[in-house]
Amino acid sequence: MAAYAAASAFLSSRHPERLAEFQLAMDILRTREDFQVQHLWGFLPQELLEEIRRISRSLSHEEIELHEAASFGRWVLHDHPRLTEVQTGLTSFVSELAGEPLEPSYNFLSLYSRLGRCPIHMDAPQAKYTLDVCIQQSQPWDIHLSQIVPWPEAGIEGGSWDDTIRNDPELSFKSYALKPGDAILFSGSSQWHYRDPIPSPARDEFCDLLFFHYIPLGTGKLVNPAQWPEIFCLPELAELPEIRRHSCQAITRWQ
């Protein structure tokens, strides 16, 4: 959202004749207002559910990512080959649910400990659609979803924005509880979502979730601000700090 705002401001000042083109190109990343959350009970076959559990149990310390242990109370694993295969196989089904042709973006296992929490947030367009699958848990752990809100204008500056969003009656938050094997499809980039801290911080509390993220078909470059200078033939965009940051992040990941 910061990159979009910066690019829009730059174009408005330096290339006003290109602003409408840029904003129109982003329309495909917006979620239509009538999109409905899909709650899929018993979505994963038991055999596949057990296979994913075996994958989570077999992870080595070298594979597990620890960078969200403090902020989310979880360990993660991105784009495991077998889970990527499963995600690819679900593309047509998820496209039908979403109401538009999609392609896989990325996926990750999210292994929450007894300190698990999910602060209120909205995802980048790389997660326009999120298929959230419950793998196993010590007890149900609700996810709270707002109604669809406009992207990318839905920013809130400073202050206690967490409480502001939670308590906004116009956002009409709804709660969903998943059992192992259940899934829920929502728009991660156009719905505020959160989970409160796991309610009973006993030593054995946990929740293992699997997130499959999808984007509109053919938007693999568009969802990455680092690609905008090339897409729009505007090399000056690469000098904006908000866009240069994405280029640096990509380099860091490859290193």
Side-chain angles (χ1 to χ4, degrees):
M1 291 182 184
Y4 175 90
S8 295
F10 172 81
L11 292 173
S12 179
S13 172
R14 299 284 296 276
H15 298 282
E17 74 283 358
R18 302 291 304 277
L19 180 59
E21 172 196 350
F22 175 74
Q23 293 177 332
L24 183 62
M26 296 295 165
D27 278 354
I28 195 171
L29 302 182
R30 306 175 193 271
T31 303
R32 67 183 192 279
E33 292 184 3
D34 65 347
F35 170 79
Q36 296 294 316
V37 172
Q38 302 287 328
H39 193 164
L40 309 170
W41 290 272
F43 174 69
L44 280 189
Q46 189 63 32
E47 183 178 351
L48 180 56
L49 188 61
E50 290 297 337
E51 180 183 2
I52 296 172
R53 289 171 178 170
R54 288 195 296 271
I55 290 173
S56 67
R57 290 194 298 266
S58 68
L59 297 178
S60 67
H61 291 294
E62 291 74 18
E63 292 176 291
I64 294 175
E65 303 166 37
L66 303 176
H67 60 280
E68 292 186 339
S71 57
F72 280 76
R74 69 183 182 186
W75 300 272
V76 299
L77 172 70
H78 281 85
D79 298 321
H80 184 280
R82 173 57 178 145
L83 302 182
T84 298
E85 179 184 353
V86 173
Q87 180 181 17
T88 300
L90 291 171
T91 302
S92 295
F93 175 74
V94 178
S95 296
E96 183 176 351
L97 291 180
E100 64 175 304
L102 304 177
E103 65 181 64
S105 176
Y106 66 101
N107 65 75
F108 68 97
L109 267 173
S110 181
L111 310 178
Y112 285 93
S113 70
R114 65 185 179 89
L115 302 178
R117 57 197 174 278
C118 181
I120 195 164
H121 68 287
M122 195 180 296
D123 299 318
Q126 286 92 336
K128 179 177 180 180
Y129 295 106
T130 298
L131 187 65
D132 177 356
V133 186
C134 180
I135 304 305
Q136 55 188 350
Q137 59 189 2
S138 55
Q139 61 176 302
W141 191 28
D142 287 7
I143 183 171
H144 309 277
L145 303 172
S146 78
Q147 66 177 24
I148 298 296
V149 296
W151 180 91
E153 291 84 358
I156 293 181
E157 297 292 338
S160 57
W161 62 270
D162 183 294
D163 290 336
T164 299
I165 297 170
R166 287 174 183 247
N167 298 322
D168 186 344
E170 294 186 0
L171 290 176
S172 304
F173 276 95
K174 293 184 179 180
S175 301
Y176 299 85
L178 302 180
K179 296 180 179 179
D182 292 352
I184 188 169
L185 178 70
F186 64 97
S187 179
S189 63
S190 290
Q191 290 181 270
W192 293 107
H193 50 284
Y194 69 93
R195 284 180 164 96
D196 290 318
I198 285 182
S200 178
R203 186 176 298 276
D204 58 351
E205 295 293 328
F206 74 98
C207 183
D208 295 349
L209 301 170
L210 174 57
F211 296 99
F212 292 132
H213 297 298
Y214 294 87
I215 56 176
L217 184 64
T219 62
K221 288 188 174 181
L222 188 64
V223 297
N224 181 5
Q227 299 289 335
W228 294 350
E230 176 187 348
I231 293 173
F232 297 101
C233 299
L234 287 167
E236 307 101 300
L237 289 176
E239 300 305 316
L240 298 177
E242 295 84 356
I243 291 179
R244 190 165 60 244
R245 184 182 306 122
H246 287 269
S247 299
C248 293
Q249 290 172 347
I251 292 172
T252 300
R253 282 196 297 272
W254 281 111
Q255 289 175 337

